[in-house]
Amino acid sequence: MSIVDLTVHELVEKLEKKELTITEINKAYAERIKEKEPEVGAFISDLSEDALEEAKKIEEKVSNGEIKNENHLAGIPIAIKDNMCVKGTRTTCASKMLENFVAPYDATVIEKLKAENLTFLGKVNMDEFAMGASTEYSALQKTKNPWNLNCVPGGSSGGSAAVVASKMAPWALGSDTGGSIRQPASFCGIVGLKPTYGLVSRYGLVAFASSLDQIGPMTRDVRDNAMLLNLIVGHDEHDSTSIKTEKKDYTKALVNDVKGLKIGLPKEYFGEGINEEVKASIDKVIEKYKELGAEVEECSLDIAEYALATYYIIACAEASSNLGRFDGIRYGYRTKNFKTLKDIYRNSRTEGFGDEVKRRIILGTYVLSSGYYDAYYKKAQQVRTLVRQEFNKAFEKYDLILTPTSPTTAFEIGTKSNNPLEMYLADICTVSINIAGVPAISVPCGTSSKGLPIGFQLIGKHFDEETIYRAAYTYEQNTDFKGLEG
Amino acid sequence: MAREDYEVVIGLEVHAELSTKSKIFCSCSTEFGGDPNTHCCPICMAMPGTLPVLNEKVVEYAVKAGLATNCEISRNSKNDRKNYFYPDLPKAYQISQYDMPLCENGYVEIETENGPKKIRLLRIHIEEDAGKLNHDPYRGGSLVDLNRAGVPLIETVSMPDISSSAEAEAYLRKLKSIFEYIEVSDCKMQEGSLRADVNVSIRKKGETKLGTRTEMKNMNSFKSIVRAIEYEINRQVEVLDNGGVVSQESLRWDDALGKTFSMRDKEDAQDYRYFPDPDLVAIRLSDEYIEEIRRNLPELPESRRKRYIEEFKLPEYDAKMITASKYLSNMFEKAVEICNNPKSVSNWIMSDIARILNEKELEPSEIPFTAEELGELVVLIDKGTISSAIAKKVLDELFVNPKSPQKIVEEKGWVQISDEGAIKEVVLKVLENNQQSVADYKAGKDKALGFLVGQAMKETKGKANPQMLNKMFLDELKK
C-alpha cells in the first residue's frame, strides 16, 4: 500500500506514530499528480511543488514546537475547487473571465485550513462559475472521470471529485449549489457532504447563487468527511448568513449503529427516469439499513416535482446579479475590441463568459425583470417556502430521508453538453435539498455493470449533520465498497 | 397663459451621507478626500467572493433621522439589490431598500410666506454610495476612485407637497439642519455629502391630476436648486403654452449656462430588477431599541428656537436664523455663557458675522475662531475696553488671524480711550478746526454733531469712547 492509498485519518495515525513524515506525504502526492494528472486533467493550478516546500517548513516548525499541531493535521495536503480565493493564487472559476485573476485575500475556509497548517496541492477544475453537472462547461480544460476516462466526473465540483478518486489529493473542498458536491462524489465513488446552509462561511467563495451555495468536504470515507467538516464550520463575522452554533466534533457522531433510526424513502425520487442499475443498488442499501435495524418506509415529498423549476429560477436570478461585477472594469477579462463604455461591457462579457453562464444570466435577468418578477421570481420564492415546510414536515416523522444521489451513473463526455435541459435533469435528486437548506451526503454504494460508481443520498434535518454521519458511517462499516484501485 | 395660471408641484429626493466612521458593508474609513482608492478593501472593491455585512450604526443613524422627522420606524425591514452597470458601481448593483424602507410616513414643518407648512415624507431608506469617476488629465478617459463606494447614505423622499423654489430651499435647509442637529450627517454640500434629485411638474390651477414631471439629478447647492427649479418651471410653462407636452425625463442642470439639458438615452430606460439581497439578513428592530434611540435624541432646532425666544428674548427671526445651523447655534450658546449678553452675541452673528460668511462664501462650520473668542469680544465691548467700531476691526482680524480678542486689542493698541483729559483735548481740537460745523449746529442743524463726533473718531483712529465723546461735545457746544 502506498501513501496516496491512505485516508487522512490513516495518515494522521501514521504521523502520530512517526511512521510517516509530512514531507513524505507531500512528496508522494506531488509524484502522484505528475503521474495521473496528464490523463485526468483536474488541476487548473498545480501547486504541489509549492506544497512540498511548505511541507518541509511545516515539518521543521512541528518538530521544534513552533506549531502546536493539536489535531495532527499540520502538513496534510488538500485540493481546493477553483472558486475559493487563496491569497496570491489564481482563482479562475474555470472561466476565461477570471483566467488571470489572482485573489488578494483568503476565503474564510482557507484561513481556517491555514490555521491548521494544511498544504495546498492546487486549485481544481469545475464547471464555469459552478454552473453545470459534468465539468464540461469549464472554459479552461476537460476533466475526465478517473474510473472511465471517456466519462465526465460530474459537476460542478468535478475536479475535486476526480482528484480525490484518482488519489491526487487525500481530500478536497467543493461547493454545492444544487448538487455540485454530491453528484460528482456519486460519479467518482467518494463521499461528499453539502452542509446545512449557514454552517460554513461563504466569504471568499465566488458567488453563484448566494442563498443556495455551500462549501463542503469531499473525501475518501465518512470519517475523513467529518474531520474536514470540523475544520471549516463556524460563524464568520464576514458572512451575515453564517449561523452561530456551538462547536461540535463531528467525528463523535461516527457510531456504528442505526437501530431505531427512522428513514423515509420519498417515492417521487424513485420513479421515472431513475436508471435500473442505480435503483437496484439503492434497493440493496435499503435492505442493508433494514438489516442493521433502521426503520425504513416509503413516504412522499410531492412538492419535489416543482423543486427543479424553482431552483433554476432562484439560482439564475441570483447569478445574473452576482455575475454583474465581471464587467471588464476592475479585474478579469477585458475585451480589446471597444470604443465606448458599452462596448467594454458587452464585448468583455460576450467574449469572457461561456454559453452556459450566458444562458443562466439571460434566464435570471428575465425572471427579475419588471412584469415577470411576480410570475417567476416571487412565485419561486413562495414555492421555496413550501419545499422547506414539506421537508420540515417529513422530518417530524423521519430522522433521515434516503434517495439516489443521481438518476444515472457518470455519462460519456459530450453526450449532454449540448442539451441544457437534460443536463439540468442530472440535478433532479439534489436541488430540492439546497432549496430547503438542509444537509445531505452522497455515499458510494456500488458500481454499475460498466464499472462506474453509484451513490446514495442521505438528507438530514437543519444542522443535524451528526445523524447523517452516523447512518453513513454505519453503512460504510458494514459494506465493502472499494475506491478506485491503482 | 401666464406662469401665475399654473400650479407648481415639487418633490425632493435628498441623499445625505451618514457620518459613521466606517462604510456601510465593510470596515473601511468614510473620510472624505484621501488619495484615490486608498479607503477601500476587497469588499468595497467588489472582489469576487466578498460579502457585505451591515454596519449597525447605519441602521441607528437612519432610525434617528426617521424619529427626528416624525416617521414611523419599521420593525421589519430588509436590503435589496438595485442592478445596473456603471463603472463607479463595482458590484454592478447598489444595495438599497426597495419595498420595505426603515422609515415611512414622516413630515417636517417649514416656514413659508403664508405661514408654517408641513412637507410630508414618503420614506427614508438606507443605501450605499457609489464611487467616483475622475477625468484622466494625462491620457484622457476616466479613472475610477472607489473611496466613496460603500459610504452609507440615507435617501429621504418627500411627497410632492412643495409648491415653489423658495419652499424647496426652505425644506432642504430644514432637513439639513435636522440632520446636523442629530449628528447623522455633516451635510457638507460642497463635498457632496448632501445632494438632491429635484422633481418638478406643473399643472393648470384647479387641475387635480399631476402634470408630467422632470427630474434634475444630483444638485448640491441651494442657489443652483432654486435657479434650476425657476428655469424648469418657466421651461415647462413655455412648452405647455406652445401646445407641447412635457416629457418625463432626467435632466442635467448646467450651472454655468443656467440651463437644463436632457440626459435621455433610450438604451438607459432602466429596469433595476430589484430583489432582496440574499447575502444579508432581515433587519428586525425591537420596540426597546427604537425607544432607546428616541430617548437619546438630541434637542432639535424647533425646540431650541422656542427656548431662545423665551429664555434669551431673541426676536423670532434671529432665533430662527441662528438655530438653522447647529454649528452657529452651539457657538451662540457657548459665547452667551461667557459674556452673558445674548442680545449682543445674536446681533454680531446676525449682522457682521453673517455678512462676512456671505462675502467669503463660507459655511458657519468654517468660521475660523471659537465661540469663546466671540464671547470675549462681547465682554470687551461691554466692559468699555473697546468701542463697537473697534470691535468690528477685531472681528475682521478674527477671520484672518484668529486669537484671543484681548490679545488682538493689546497688540494693535486698540484699547478705547476713556480718559477724560485725553478726550477733552481731542474735542477741543476738532471744534477748533471745524468752526463751520459748530455754527451749523448752533443754527439748529443736529446732524453737525454727528459729523464732529466722526471727526474726533478719525482723530483717535476710532479708539475714543463714543458715549464720552458725545457727552463732551454737547457740553462744549452748550457753552
Side-chain angles (χ1 to χ4, degrees):
Chain A
M1 208 174 219
S2 79
I3 291 174
V4 296
D5 292 324
L6 302 171
T7 61
V8 173
H9 57 90
E10 286 163 348
L11 289 174
V12 168
E13 209 173 299
K14 288 196 184 300
L15 279 170
E16 270 186 277
K17 290 184 186 156
K18 305 214 188 292
E19 291 170 14
L20 262 182
T21 69
I22 289 169
T23 307
E24 282 168 349
I25 294 170
N26 282 270
K27 202 160 174 226
Y29 274 104
E31 280 164 11
R32 177 71 175 180
I33 290 167
K34 271 196 197 76
E35 180 201 335
K36 278 281 170 189
E37 172 63 6
E39 65 185 39
V40 179
F43 283 91
I44 291 174
S45 301
D46 173 1
L47 306 170
S48 56
E49 291 301 321
D50 300 339
L52 184 54
E53 287 311 303
E54 186 64 21
K56 288 174 187 165
K57 287 183 207 158
I58 290 170
E59 188 161 276
E60 203 183 309
K61 286 184 189 168
V62 170
S63 68
N64 69 21
E66 217 177 300
I67 291 174
K68 281 214 180 90
N69 201 20
E70 278 157 355
N71 298 321
H72 302 282
L73 288 165
I76 296 290
I78 190 166
I80 306 293
K81 187 179 183 179
D82 209 14
N83 59 351
M84 293 171 223
C85 291
V86 178
K87 193 175 177 177
T89 72
R90 285 193 306 150
T91 297
T92 67
C93 291
S95 177
K96 200 176 164 190
M97 186 58 90
L98 290 176
E99 195 171 357
N100 297 306
F101 173 73
V102 174
Y105 72 103
D106 278 326
T108 298
V109 289
I110 300 300
E111 273 183 5
K112 285 173 179 279
L113 298 181
K114 283 186 174 174
E116 292 288 339
N117 295 290
L118 268 68
T119 61
F120 296 91
L121 292 170
K123 305 291 290 292
V124 293
N125 203 17
M126 53 188 280
D127 287 294
E128 186 178 1
F129 287 103
M131 298 173 181
S134 70
T135 311
E136 290 169 285
Y137 293 141
S138 166
L140 304 183
Q141 67 196 56
K142 290 271 174 285
T143 298
K144 288 149 196 159
N145 190 318
W147 292 74
N148 180 337
L149 299 174
N150 295 318
C151 290
V152 300
S156 65
S157 307
S160 304
V163 293
V164 175
S166 64
K167 299 170 184 172
M168 289 196 284
W171 57 9
L173 285 185
S175 71
D176 189 318
T177 306
S180 282
I181 286 175
R182 292 159 284 155
Q183 185 256 21
S186 149
F187 279 18
C188 290
I190 64 163
V191 179
L193 174 88
K194 183 209 85 83
T196 308
Y197 184 80
L199 189 66
V200 180
S201 167
R202 292 182 296 115
Y203 187 74
L205 169 71
V206 181
F208 157 19
S210 313
S211 72
L212 302 163
D213 297 342
Q214 266 295 279
I215 293 169
M218 300 176 75
T219 57
R220 308 258 181 92
D221 71 3
V222 177
R223 178 169 295 277
D224 278 7
N225 207 277
M227 283 167 64
L228 187 48
L229 185 66
N230 274 349
L231 297 187
I232 59 174
V233 297
H235 173 70
D236 177 12
E237 57 175 26
H238 287 301
D239 178 0
S240 314
T241 63
S242 80
I243 302 224
K244 287 187 182 116
T245 49
E246 51 183 296
K247 190 90 185 143
K248 289 175 183 168
D249 177 0
Y250 290 99
T251 61
K252 292 225 168 87
L254 305 176
V255 181
N256 187 356
D257 174 22
V258 289
K259 272 186 221 70
L261 218 57
K262 293 194 182 75
I263 301 175
L265 307 169
K267 57 178 193 286
E268 293 81 2
Y269 290 75
F270 290 85
E272 236 175 293
I274 306 290
N275 170 293
E276 281 308 314
E277 276 192 283
V278 171
K279 211 159 172 259
S281 187
I282 305 293
D283 283 342
K284 278 192 198 152
V285 175
I286 295 166
E287 285 315 306
K288 180 56 82 177
Y289 273 123
K290 284 183 182 164
E291 187 189 312
L292 293 167
E295 294 169 27
V296 188
E297 65 176 45
E298 194 179 85
C299 68
S300 172
L301 282 170
D302 57 12
I303 197 79
E305 67 174 290
Y306 303 105
L308 195 67
T310 303
Y311 171 79
Y312 276 94
I313 290 170
I314 293 171
C316 293
E318 292 179 7
S320 73
S321 174
N322 283 333
L323 270 60
R325 67 187 63 193
F326 306 110
D327 56 5
I329 302 290
R330 293 163 307 284
Y331 48 74
Y333 181 82
R334 181 189 285 181
T335 181
K336 292 188 175 59
N337 168 29
F338 67 89
K339 286 200 182 70
T340 66
L341 176 63
K342 277 200 179 109
D343 293 342
I344 293 187
Y345 288 149
R346 251 181 219 149
N347 299 341
S348 298
R349 289 167 68 80
T350 301
E351 296 160 22
F353 288 137
D355 286 350
E356 181 59 23
V357 173
K358 279 182 234 174
R359 193 151 38 231
R360 297 200 193 191
I361 290 174
I362 292 167
L363 184 63
T365 304
Y366 177 78
V367 299
L368 287 176
S369 299
S370 73
Y372 300 98
Y373 183 91
D374 287 355
Y376 294 104
Y377 186 75
K378 199 171 167 194
K379 183 67 81 188
Q381 289 293 7
Q382 289 163 345
V383 176
R384 181 178 195 162
T385 306
L386 294 178
V387 170
R388 200 175 292 150
Q389 284 169 356
E390 191 151 281
F391 269 97
N392 288 343
K393 221 175 88 196
F395 282 123
E396 284 172 13
K397 208 165 164 199
Y398 304 105
D399 300 303
L400 291 167
I401 292 167
L402 190 155
T403 75
T405 305
S406 167
T408 66
T409 54
F411 43 87
E412 280 185 27
I413 292 169
T415 50
K416 290 189 181 176
S417 50
N418 293 318
N419 187 340
L421 189 60
E422 209 174 313
M423 192 73 94
Y424 293 174
L425 286 169
D427 292 336
I428 191 92
C429 298
T430 46
V431 292
S432 55
I433 282 80
N434 299 72
I435 294 285
V438 291
I441 201 167
S442 177
V443 179
C445 59
T447 49
S448 69
S449 52
K450 285 181 186 163
L452 288 166
I454 297 165
F456 71 97
Q457 176 174 242
L458 286 170
I459 308 161
K461 297 172 191 170
H462 285 102
F463 300 105
D464 188 15
E465 278 76 5
E466 284 134 309
T467 304
I468 291 178
Y469 277 143
R470 177 181 154 200
Y473 180 77
T474 304
Y475 174 82
E476 193 184 62
Q477 292 300 307
N478 292 281
T479 51
D480 58 352
F481 177 83
K482 285 216 168 27
L484 188 59
E485 312 235 340
Chain B
M1 282 196 304
R3 184 172 154 173
E4 296 77 54
D5 300 321
Y6 290 97
E7 187 188 353
V8 176
V9 179
I10 299 169
L12 259 61
E13 291 163 28
V14 178
H15 292 88
E17 274 183 1
L18 298 180
S19 47
T20 54
K21 284 198 181 67
S22 54
K23 291 186 179 180
I24 181 166
F25 297 119
C26 63
S27 53
C28 289
S29 165
T30 55
E31 209 179 306
F32 180 76
D35 286 339
N37 299 308
T38 54
H39 296 166
C40 35
C41 68
I43 298 169
C44 53
M45 296 175 98
M47 286 291 168
T50 54
L51 298 171
V53 173
L54 181 59
N55 178 350
E56 284 174 18
K57 276 274 168 212
V58 170
V59 175
E60 183 191 320
Y61 280 28
V63 169
K64 262 187 176 180
L67 292 173
T69 51
N70 311 295
C71 285
E72 297 158 14
I73 309 300
S74 311
R75 269 42 174 187
N76 215 339
S77 176
K78 66 180 168 72
N79 293 105
D80 300 281
R81 292 186 184 179
K82 178 181 181 180
N83 296 282
Y84 65 96
F85 286 96
Y86 204 64
D88 66 8
L89 191 70
K91 294 191 293 294
Y93 57 83
Q94 177 195 33
I95 303 178
S96 179
Q97 295 194 286
Y98 182 53
D99 54 351
M100 293 165 74
L102 266 178
C103 317
E104 288 178 282
N105 305 324
Y107 68 88
V108 295
E109 207 171 81
I110 60 165
E111 304 292 329
T112 72
E113 20 180 57
N114 309 319
K117 176 175 176 180
K118 268 184 190 171
I119 308 295
R120 291 169 300 157
L121 304 185
L122 180 64
R123 58 189 277 168
I124 300 178
H125 70 251
I126 55 173
E127 61 185 25
E128 58 181 336
D129 210 343
K132 251 184 188 162
L133 297 187
N134 296 322
H135 183 70
D136 182 347
Y138 304 110
R139 293 170 300 174
S142 293
L143 296 171
V144 184
D145 175 6
L146 295 178
N147 282 353
R148 203 180 65 181
V151 168
L153 295 173
I154 47 173
E155 179 175 334
T156 307
V157 182
S158 81
M159 298 292 279
D161 288 349
I162 300 164
S163 327
S164 69
S165 59
E167 285 185 19
E169 183 181 354
Y171 165 73
L172 192 57
R173 282 195 191 277
K174 189 56 174 275
L175 218 51
K176 179 174 185 285
S177 136
I178 292 171
F179 292 165
E180 283 171 352
Y181 266 87
I182 59 173
E183 291 174 342
V184 298
S185 173
D186 61 19
C187 295
K188 286 183 183 161
M189 298 182 87
Q190 68 282 16
E191 290 179 7
S193 65
L194 189 77
R195 44 191 205 265
D197 298 340
V198 184
N199 290 286
V200 178
S201 69
I202 59 171
R203 61 181 168 196
K204 275 187 202 141
K205 278 194 177 148
E207 181 76 60
T208 48
K209 230 180 94 202
L210 288 170
T212 307
R213 69 193 156 88
T214 58
E215 184 178 28
M216 291 175 284
K217 293 256 184 202
N218 266 326
M219 310 285 296
N220 65 350
S221 96
F222 291 112
K223 261 185 207 161
S224 48
I225 286 169
V226 170
R227 284 176 68 204
I229 291 173
E230 287 301 318
Y231 175 88
E232 191 49 26
I233 294 168
N234 288 330
R235 189 189 69 83
Q236 290 187 13
V237 168
E238 206 176 301
V239 168
L240 294 186
D241 278 356
N242 290 330
V245 281
V246 173
S247 47
Q248 184 167 346
E249 59 185 333
S250 288
L251 303 171
R252 183 178 60 81
W253 167 252
D254 186 313
D255 211 44
L257 295 174
K259 279 177 150 181
T260 54
F261 291 92
S262 176
M263 288 166 65
R264 188 173 35 176
D265 175 347
K266 279 210 175 110
E267 281 186 290
D268 282 338
Q270 292 276 14
D271 179 355
Y272 292 119
R273 306 188 315 279
Y274 280 100
F275 75 106
D277 192 330
D279 288 329
L280 292 160
V281 290
I283 306 169
R284 300 250 154 79
L285 304 181
S286 67
D287 292 349
E288 296 75 42
Y289 173 87
I290 295 164
E291 282 318 304
E292 178 73 18
I293 294 175
R294 195 194 300 276
R295 260 198 310 280
N296 293 318
L297 215 55
E299 188 184 20
L300 290 170
E302 273 319 298
S303 126
R304 270 202 196 184
R305 186 171 60 95
K306 279 178 199 145
R307 190 158 62 76
Y308 287 6
I309 295 167
E310 283 160 23
E311 199 176 310
F312 297 134
K313 312 287 175 224
L314 294 195
E316 168 95 31
Y317 181 76
D318 295 15
K320 199 180 105 195
M321 293 305 285
I322 291 172
T323 53
S325 152
K326 180 169 193 183
Y327 191 88
L328 268 190
S329 173
N330 285 348
M331 186 173 220
F332 168 79
E333 292 193 11
K334 249 192 221 152
V336 168
E337 257 174 51
I338 286 167
C339 66
N340 199 20
N341 187 346
K343 183 67 204 157
S344 176
V345 176
S346 160
N347 283 345
W348 280 100
I349 290 175
M350 293 297 294
S351 57
D352 293 83
I353 293 175
R355 177 181 49 79
I356 295 169
L357 288 180
N358 206 22
E359 282 166 11
K360 301 196 176 202
E361 291 187 18
L362 294 178
E363 291 288 318
S365 59
E366 294 169 300
I367 294 174
F369 53 86
T370 64
E372 286 79 1
E373 285 158 354
L374 176 60
E376 198 184 317
L377 181 69
V378 175
V379 169
L380 290 178
I381 304 164
D382 290 350
K383 282 201 314 202
T385 312
I386 55 173
S387 65
S388 45
I390 290 291
K392 284 186 189 194
K393 286 163 79 174
V394 175
L395 185 70
D396 285 337
E397 187 62 20
L398 279 172
F399 267 100
V400 181
N401 188 11
K403 58 175 132 173
S404 150
Q406 176 74 40
K407 270 227 175 79
I408 295 175
V409 167
E410 279 167 13
E411 281 170 15
K412 303 263 178 189
W414 284 346
V415 178
Q416 184 164 260
I417 303 169
S418 299
D419 177 72
E420 219 165 297
I423 288 180
K424 185 149 194 181
E425 207 172 293
V426 177
V427 167
L428 292 176
K429 190 177 167 197
V430 169
L431 290 171
E432 175 88 30
N433 295 341
N434 294 283
Q435 293 297 334
Q436 184 58 47
S437 296
V438 175
D440 287 349
Y441 181 81
K442 291 195 168 157
K445 289 187 184 164
D446 288 352
K447 265 191 192 157
L449 176 64
F451 175 78
L452 291 167
V453 171
Q455 289 303 305
M457 274 297 186
K458 217 177 189 178
E459 196 73 24
T460 58
K461 299 197 174 71
K463 288 189 286 186
N465 182 323
Q467 283 87 29
M468 288 175 69
L469 216 52
N470 236 342
K471 185 166 176 295
M472 210 163 289
F473 269 117
L474 284 172
D475 291 348
E476 288 302 319
L477 288 166
K478 270 184 208 149
K479 280 184 188 164

